[in-house]
């Protein structure tokens, strides 16, 4: 029996959704239809792909082996069809971009407006997440390209990147906070107070990556604090009196700062470099290449500057 592409797509949707019912809702199909497609795929391959008696959804060994290959097959088919259907002046198909909240808010809208104006039939998805999640999306081909900080480096050293901008860090503090008395706020000043930073609360429970790295390189012992995924949560924590906020400039630009003072941190060690990334083992689709070209030609976001030459 031949394997149908629709079966692979449906099985991937079940895996990504975490279950048959959610996949059915997202695909606008009945749950029996989704189950039938997955069952047809398993019969065709002669193996079981999903442990149906276990919750949450769990893949069998065969399912785990198939997963990266299925993503590759579907991605290659979609990119090939998109490239062949494209005319000289317009690109069709789908493009998924992994990004992070402040990059999506303060940089992507202008770039995607240009891309959509030139290619009105192109479907674009922006997947926002932290560095770890963004890397997973790029690795398993759910995203074709990623807007991502340069540090920490991804585990896959074969990925290609082009640097885009460097942004400073700022402090958010309530009016009258002692740290605002200084003419210039340095890392030592910041480290003397409890901090709320952006990062991975599970991996960096006391400080976000950039703050921790800058403190370590400067041999400064921080007071510690709270780590959050979301800039809006950070600002709310500062308003509630949990500490000062230490946050990259673009993230500060996307949150409400009413009732807070914003001051730039004067430090050569504390900054965020951002680039556009893609895997080197496969060629970019025409849609992804058009996105990369626009990103590289775009102006740096307000308050940032080009990354200095090494």
């Amino acid at each position: 029996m031949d394997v149908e592409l629709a079966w692979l797509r449906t099985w991937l949707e079940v895996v990504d959704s975490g279950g048959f019912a959610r996949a059915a809702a997202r695909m606008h199909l009945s749950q029996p239809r989704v189950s039938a497609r997955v069952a047809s795929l398993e019969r065709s391959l002669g193996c079981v792909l999903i442990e149906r008696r276990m919750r949450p959804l769990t893949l069998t060994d065969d399912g785990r082996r198939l997963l990266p290959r299925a993503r590759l097959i579907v991605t290659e088919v979609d990119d090939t069809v998109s490239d062949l259907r494209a005319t000289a002046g317009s690109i069709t198909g789908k493009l998924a971009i992994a990004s992070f909240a402040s990059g999506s808010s303060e940089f992507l809208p202008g770039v995607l407006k240009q891309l959509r104006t030139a290619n009105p039939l192109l479907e674009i998805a922006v997947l926002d997440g932290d560095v770890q999640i963004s890397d997973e999306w790029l690795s398993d081909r759910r995203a074709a390209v990623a807007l991502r900080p340069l540090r920490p480096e991804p585990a896959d050293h074969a990925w290609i990147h082009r640097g885009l901008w460097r942004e400073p860090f700022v402090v958010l503090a309530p009016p009258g906070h002692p740290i605002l008395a200084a003419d210039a706020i340095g890392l030592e000043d910041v480290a003397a107070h409890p901090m709320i930073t952006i990062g991975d609360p599970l991996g960096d429970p006391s400080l976000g990556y950039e703050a921790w790295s800058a403190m370590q390189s400067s041999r400064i012992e921080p007071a510690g604090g709270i780590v959050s995924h979301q800039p809006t949560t950070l600002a709310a924590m500062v308003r509630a009196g949990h500490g000062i906020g230490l946050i990259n400039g673009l993230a500060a630009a996307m949150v409400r700062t009413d009732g807070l003072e914003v001051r730039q941190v004067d430090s050569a060690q504390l900054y965020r470099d951002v680039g556009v990334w893609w895997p080197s083992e496969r060629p970019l689709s025409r849609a992804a290449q058009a996105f990369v070209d626009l990103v590289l030609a775009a102006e740096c976001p307000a308050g940032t500057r080009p990354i200095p030459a090494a």
Side-chain angles (χ1 to χ4, degrees):
M1 183 187 297
D2 293 332
V3 173
E4 294 187 12
L5 191 61
W7 300 347
L8 283 175
R9 290 189 191 278
T10 303
W11 179 69
L12 287 174
E13 190 62 59
V14 170
V15 173
D16 293 341
S17 301
F20 288 84
R22 291 179 183 174
R26 291 175 61 169
M27 298 186 75
H28 305 291
L29 296 172
S30 66
Q31 188 169 336
R33 182 77 176 276
V34 169
S35 298
R37 287 184 177 183
V38 173
S40 295
L41 177 62
E42 290 176 322
R43 283 197 302 272
S44 178
L45 297 177
C47 60
V48 176
L49 301 173
I50 295 174
E51 296 281 6
R52 288 170 172 77
R53 293 172 295 179
M54 299 182 66
R55 297 290 184 274
L57 183 140
T58 303
L59 296 180
T60 64
D61 290 341
D62 288 323
R64 285 189 288 272
R65 281 195 293 270
L66 175 63
L67 186 59
R69 300 179 188 182
R71 293 198 193 282
L72 176 61
I73 291 167
V74 171
T75 299
E76 291 293 343
V77 169
D78 288 345
D79 287 349
T80 300
V81 171
S82 175
D83 287 354
L84 291 176
R85 284 180 175 174
T87 65
S90 184
I91 300 169
T92 61
K94 299 179 180 180
L95 175 64
I97 303 159
S99 185
F100 56 98
S102 57
S104 298
S105 172
E106 304 301 314
F107 178 71
L108 281 185
V111 172
L112 295 184
K113 183 177 181 180
Q114 289 181 275
L115 187 60
R116 290 290 302 277
T117 299
N119 307 283
L121 298 180
L122 180 63
E123 298 179 30
I124 300 172
V126 178
L127 312 174
D128 282 331
D130 60 23
V131 169
Q132 291 79 12
I133 294 175
S134 180
D135 288 357
E136 290 176 11
W137 286 329
L138 199 57
S139 291
D140 65 18
R141 296 174 172 81
R142 277 183 277 183
V145 290
L147 199 65
R148 180 195 188 280
L150 301 194
R151 302 180 302 167
E153 293 186 2
D156 191 337
H157 297 292
W159 288 356
I160 299 170
H161 78 271
R162 299 289 183 269
L164 299 176
W165 70 77
R166 173 169 292 182
E167 58 184 292
F169 271 64
V170 300
V171 163
L172 302 184
H177 192 282
I179 198 171
L180 300 175
D183 292 332
I185 298 175
L187 275 181
E188 297 87 352
D189 304 310
V190 175
H193 303 277
M195 285 172 276
I196 303 102
T197 54
I198 295 295
D200 177 7
L202 298 179
D204 307 304
S206 60
L207 285 180
Y209 175 81
E210 283 108 346
W212 177 87
S213 179
M215 298 288 179
Q216 290 291 308
S217 63
S218 301
R219 301 181 183 276
I220 296 174
E221 188 66 31
I226 299 172
V227 177
S228 173
H229 275 307
Q230 295 298 330
T232 51
T233 302
L234 180 146
M237 292 288 185
V238 175
R239 287 193 185 89
H242 291 285
I244 59 173
L246 184 62
I247 187 171
N248 55 300
L250 286 188
M254 65 176 284
V255 301
R256 286 178 40 241
T257 56
D258 51 295
L260 299 175
E261 297 285 342
V262 182
R263 300 283 181 85
Q264 186 167 321
V265 178
D266 184 12
S267 170
Q269 287 76 38
L270 183 58
Y271 56 85
R272 171 178 282 189
D273 286 346
V274 175
V276 59
W277 298 74
W278 65 92
S280 61
E281 78 275 8
R282 64 182 188 269
L284 287 171
S285 67
R286 287 187 60 184
Q289 186 64 63
F291 171 77
V292 169
D293 291 344
L294 286 173
V295 163
L296 295 178
E299 293 184 1
C300 294
T304 72
R305 59 190 177 94
I307 299 172

